Amino acid sequence: AQSVTQLGSHVSVSEGALVLLRCNYSSSVPPYLFWYVQYPNQGLQLLLKYTTGATLVKGINGFEAEFKKSETSFHLTKPSAHMSDAAEYFCAVSLSGGYQKVTFGIGTKLQVIP
Amino acid sequence: DGGITQSPKYLFRKEGQNVTLSCEQNLNHDAMYWYRQDPGQGLRLIYYSQIVNDFQKGDIAEGYSVSREKKESFPLTVTSAQKNPTAFYLCASKLAGANEQFFGPGTRLTVL
């Protein structure tokens, strides 16, 4: 079984400030980890993913995330927030192999203040 | 352009009526999924299908039904047995052996 916890359902940052969205997971086997972004009334778009290999993963729009096994974390960061980053972000986990059911976190809404 | 289409974008239904949401993909993906999204609850899996003519219940299948007669199509019927159907419904698909799912734009269903 796997689960995901996103700390903070709402996060506000100033334009130009660091973005940090937190995600912790639990998994009985090595996990696959994902971050998705959702703009209002739209579907989810993959930002980045971790499967194996390098633990620092770079994604689209300047976002990156680091897989830390010892902390069971996969936090999403971006050095400088843009107004266009305002959206809802979902962390997700699946198990390697087989059907790979994906479990999503409850989401974090990011507000960017001008 | 390859992608996933969902129709309609907005759907209104009276209580007691069944309604079918469309999901079509031209990505040649093998697996397809239906999720329900409610504020503050993330995405919950309703049904999924890994191959044509086969599908399995997800975590919240009660009150819903699906079919998978063609690889590219996975319609979802919300029946009158679904107690609280007002929600945003998302369809997704995935290649067999791949890790990530690709999502459609969603259908917002409102029961009047």
Side-chain angles (χ1 to χ4, degrees):
Chain A
Q2 70 260 29
S3 66
V4 173
T5 301
Q6 290 185 241
L7 298 175
S9 58
H10 291 80
V11 170
S12 294
V13 299
S14 298
E15 191 174 15
L18 172 71
V19 176
L20 171 61
L21 304 183
R22 299 178 187 275
C23 174
N24 289 89
Y25 70 91
S26 69
S27 174
S28 55
V29 299
Y32 292 160
L33 295 160
F34 310 86
W35 275 101
Y36 286 87
V37 62
Q38 183 183 36
Y39 298 98
N41 290 312
Q42 294 186 26
L44 275 66
Q45 180 184 9
L46 182 69
L47 272 179
L48 49 80
K49 65 177 181 180
Y50 168 80
T51 53
T52 58
T55 56
L56 181 62
V57 180
K58 296 187 183 298
I60 62 172
N61 301 338
F63 284 94
E64 63 182 36
E66 187 171 10
F67 170 61
K68 292 187 176 181
K69 184 178 178 180
S70 61
E71 299 177 8
T72 62
S73 69
F74 191 58
H75 302 330
L76 182 70
T77 60
K78 182 174 180 178
S80 176
H82 295 164
M83 295 300 295
S84 60
D85 294 328
E88 191 160 18
Y89 293 80
F90 291 91
C91 183
V93 62
S94 72
L95 304 181
S96 54
Y99 153 61
Q100 301 171 1
K101 176 186 174 182
V102 180
T103 299
F104 289 84
I106 63 171
T108 297
K109 283 190 177 177
L110 177 65
Q111 180 186 21
V112 182
I113 303 167
Chain B
D1 266 344
I4 304 173
T5 57
Q6 292 186 241
S7 60
K9 179 72 172 173
Y10 298 95
L11 188 56
F12 297 89
R13 174 196 112 170
K14 293 182 180 179
E15 278 193 29
Q17 290 181 337
N18 293 355
V19 63
T20 298
L21 282 59
S22 169
C23 177
E24 304 276 334
Q25 55 96 2
N26 61 3
L27 301 167
N28 200 32
H29 285 178
D30 306 281
M32 297 186 74
Y33 309 80
W34 274 105
Y35 292 92
R36 171 180 171 140
Q37 185 179 16
D38 297 280
Q41 296 195 45
L43 277 68
R44 293 182 289 169
L45 182 64
I46 304 172
Y47 269 97
Y48 65 97
S49 167
Q50 293 180 268
I51 57 173
V52 175
N53 293 322
D54 187 48
F55 49 83
Q56 286 79 41
K57 294 181 178 180
D59 300 320
I60 57 165
E62 184 176 352
Y64 300 97
S65 66
V66 294
S67 63
R68 186 88 187 275
E69 297 177 1
K70 298 185 296 183
K71 186 176 184 178
E72 59 270 23
S73 178
F74 192 41
L76 173 74
T77 296
V78 184
T79 75
S80 56
Q82 169 50 233
K83 299 301 181 194
N84 184 20
T86 294
F88 192 53
Y89 290 87
L90 287 160
C91 178
S93 68
K94 183 178 80 69
L95 265 176
N99 309 120
E100 67 271 24
Q101 297 179 9
F102 291 83
F103 284 81
T107 292
R108 186 166 297 280
L109 173 63
T110 303
V111 174
L112 304 173

